[in-house]
Amino acid sequence: MSFKKNIRFLHKWLGLTSGLIVFIVSITGSIFCFHDEIKDLTREYRKVDVENKSYILASELQSKTKELFPTATADMVVFHGKDRPAIVYSSIDNKPYNLYFNPYSGAFLKQESIEDDFFVIIEDLHMHLWLPPEIGKQVVGISTIIFIVMLISGIILWWPKKRKDLKNRIKIKWDAKWRRVNYDWHNVTGFYISLFVLIIALTGLTFSYEWMHKTMYFVGNLGQEYPKDDFTPVIDSTLVSNSKANPMDLALSQAFKTKPNDEMFFVWYQGEKDAIITGSYPDALDFDHQSNLYFHPKTGQLLNTDLYEDKSPGMQLQEMNYGLHTGQFFGMTGKIIAFVLSLLAAALPVTGFIIYWGRRNKKSKK
């Protein structure tokens, strides 16, 4: 009894200190679940007609970007799929933009401010509470750790003393008074979602803490070392290109040939001292199973191949993290589950506070 009393005390006060933040993070997480689907329905420029021809060169999109916006950067070009526009990620007057182009003709479609996008604002609230990122991610991270402790302590409090009491712990007495319904809702839903929400919380910690990111790598590899994962291409600055082709075009062409069945590709120029990186994914807007190639920034020479199937289990788990956190890894079914779990998680601090307030008022009356 003394043990459970201490656990109840811990559960109560941790909940009161972190409840509001858990509510905000959970609600914004549920809103963000279907951001791609909502944007596809409300923004017509996110889809294009499929044409039986090759994509326009990345260097041509860079040139078009410079023509339209002379002060813009154009270091990353992404081809999201055959029926989707190409995007140049750009900075114009120190403000980030997505510039949409037809991937076949290069026709300019839309300038989209990243900072002013509704879902980016929601994502920032989810990750940083609209605080400066270095502060906000710590507040969210600490609150997430507290939430994990509360999930564990909640299971301890829920656990029945006798087996015969189990059936009363796994259902809500809907015909009881509203306070009892609230109490049952808090306990029963908390039990049912605890394991799944724990996975969401743990994967979410990787966005706040590098040590959690490294932990996933360590766990995925069972502690084994994979030196290839730490490979960094060495750039020979004395090399001179013998080709008139743009190195970014050479890099992206090689990526298309290496992964012909993949749907989404990006090419990223990082300057003359760093390698050009290409990435490819099997499905559009699905950021896992990433394969990477590294190229010399002047010559376009292939320096390193890092295909998804050759990556260590720990590296694959790291790259799977976003999909697990958002449910995207399991397709639309996973997103729906993540959406429902987020709403139920958001209800926990609300129902918990009602329980606390009811008991507090009851003691005051006595």
Side-chain angles (χ1 to χ4, degrees):
M1 291 297 293
S2 177
F3 173 72
K4 276 207 169 184
K5 185 177 180 181
N6 291 331
I7 291 296
R8 185 174 289 108
F9 178 85
L10 178 70
H11 188 81
K12 177 178 70 175
W13 289 107
L14 287 180
L16 290 173
T17 56
S18 66
L20 179 60
I21 297 173
V22 170
F23 176 79
I24 292 172
V25 171
S26 298
I27 285 293
T28 52
S30 66
I31 295 172
F32 194 76
C33 277
F34 299 107
H35 70 283
D36 280 325
E37 289 76 12
I38 295 172
K39 286 191 283 188
D40 282 347
L41 289 173
T42 58
R43 306 176 189 184
E44 70 283 354
Y45 55 85
R46 283 172 57 90
K47 285 293 186 74
V48 299
D49 294 329
V50 178
E51 299 183 31
N52 188 24
K53 58 191 295 188
S54 300
Y55 290 147
I56 190 172
L57 295 176
S59 60
E60 291 188 44
L61 291 179
Q62 287 182 310
S63 298
K64 288 179 178 290
T65 297
K66 290 291 186 179
E67 290 174 9
L68 292 167
F69 309 98
T71 61
T73 61
D75 298 330
M76 179 179 282
V77 179
V78 183
F79 291 90
H80 282 279
K82 293 180 180 180
D83 64 342
R84 292 188 175 276
I87 297 180
V88 177
Y89 290 93
S90 181
S91 175
I92 305 174
D93 299 326
N94 295 319
K95 189 173 181 178
Y97 288 91
N98 291 328
L99 304 179
Y100 290 77
F101 294 87
N102 185 293
Y104 305 103
S105 67
F108 179 65
L109 300 176
K110 183 70 176 181
Q111 177 188 8
E112 183 181 77
S113 172
I114 294 177
E115 290 181 344
D116 299 330
D117 185 271
F118 170 76
F119 288 102
V120 173
I121 293 172
I122 290 296
E123 184 181 29
D124 185 45
L125 179 59
H126 179 75
M127 297 179 66
H128 309 125
L129 302 175
W130 292 340
L131 298 171
E134 290 303 315
I135 298 175
K137 72 177 184 179
Q138 293 295 331
V139 176
V140 172
I142 292 170
S143 298
T144 302
I145 293 173
I146 291 174
F147 182 61
I148 291 171
V149 174
M150 289 187 62
L151 287 173
I152 298 171
S153 61
I155 292 297
I156 295 173
L157 293 174
W158 171 91
W159 204 267
K161 295 179 184 178
K162 299 177 181 179
R163 183 176 296 181
K164 66 178 182 179
D165 296 330
L166 181 62
K167 64 179 182 179
N168 295 324
R169 298 293 179 94
I170 59 176
K171 61 182 181 180
I172 300 172
K173 294 182 180 179
W174 294 106
D175 57 347
K177 293 183 178 180
W178 74 269
R179 290 187 184 276
R180 179 54 190 265
V181 173
N182 178 79
Y183 178 83
D184 285 348
W185 178 272
H186 183 81
N187 287 292
V188 173
T189 59
F191 166 71
Y192 281 123
I193 71 172
S194 57
L195 178 60
F196 304 103
V197 173
L198 180 62
I199 294 173
I200 293 176
L202 289 173
T203 52
L205 280 178
T206 63
F207 299 105
S208 292
Y209 301 115
E210 181 62 23
W211 58 261
M212 187 60 193
H213 193 66
K214 292 179 178 179
T215 299
M216 290 191 72
Y217 180 82
F218 180 84
V219 171
N221 286 334
L222 300 177
Q224 187 175 346
E225 296 290 336
Y226 288 83
K228 185 182 176 183
D229 289 339
D230 296 324
F231 175 82
T232 302
V234 177
I235 306 302
D236 185 354
S237 59
T238 62
L239 291 180
V240 179
S241 177
N242 295 322
S243 172
K244 294 182 180 181
N246 186 290
M248 287 184 69
D249 295 334
L250 293 174
L252 196 54
S253 175
Q254 182 64 43
F256 289 148
K257 293 177 182 177
T258 304
K259 283 290 184 177
N261 296 322
D262 280 3
E263 190 170 352
M264 185 166 62
F265 293 83
F266 74 79
V267 57
W268 181 21
Y269 177 77
Q270 304 182 88
E272 294 186 354
K273 295 182 179 180
D274 295 296
I276 294 173
I277 302 177
T278 67
S280 67
Y281 307 85
D283 301 305
L285 306 180
D286 198 347
F287 298 94
D288 59 70
H289 290 72
Q290 179 183 178
S291 294
N292 300 105
L293 303 177
Y294 299 81
F295 300 84
H296 194 282
K298 291 183 179 179
T299 67
Q301 174 190 349
L302 179 62
L303 302 176
N304 186 48
T305 300
D306 194 15
L307 304 182
Y308 172 80
E309 54 268 25
D310 298 330
K311 293 180 179 180
S312 70
M315 183 66 73
Q316 291 179 353
L317 182 60
Q318 280 184 332
E319 294 181 357
M320 195 189 303
N321 183 79
Y322 175 82
L324 292 175
H325 185 67
T326 61
Q328 185 187 67
F329 186 79
F330 302 101
M332 181 56 69
T333 301
K335 288 186 177 184
I336 293 172
I337 292 173
F339 172 76
V340 173
L341 289 173
S342 297
L343 289 180
L344 292 175
L348 289 177
V350 177
T351 53
F353 181 78
I354 292 172
I355 293 171
Y356 160 77
W357 192 256
R359 288 176 174 173
R360 184 172 180 269
N361 287 343
K362 189 175 180 180
K363 287 181 180 179
S364 297
K365 289 178 181 179
K366 286 183 178 181

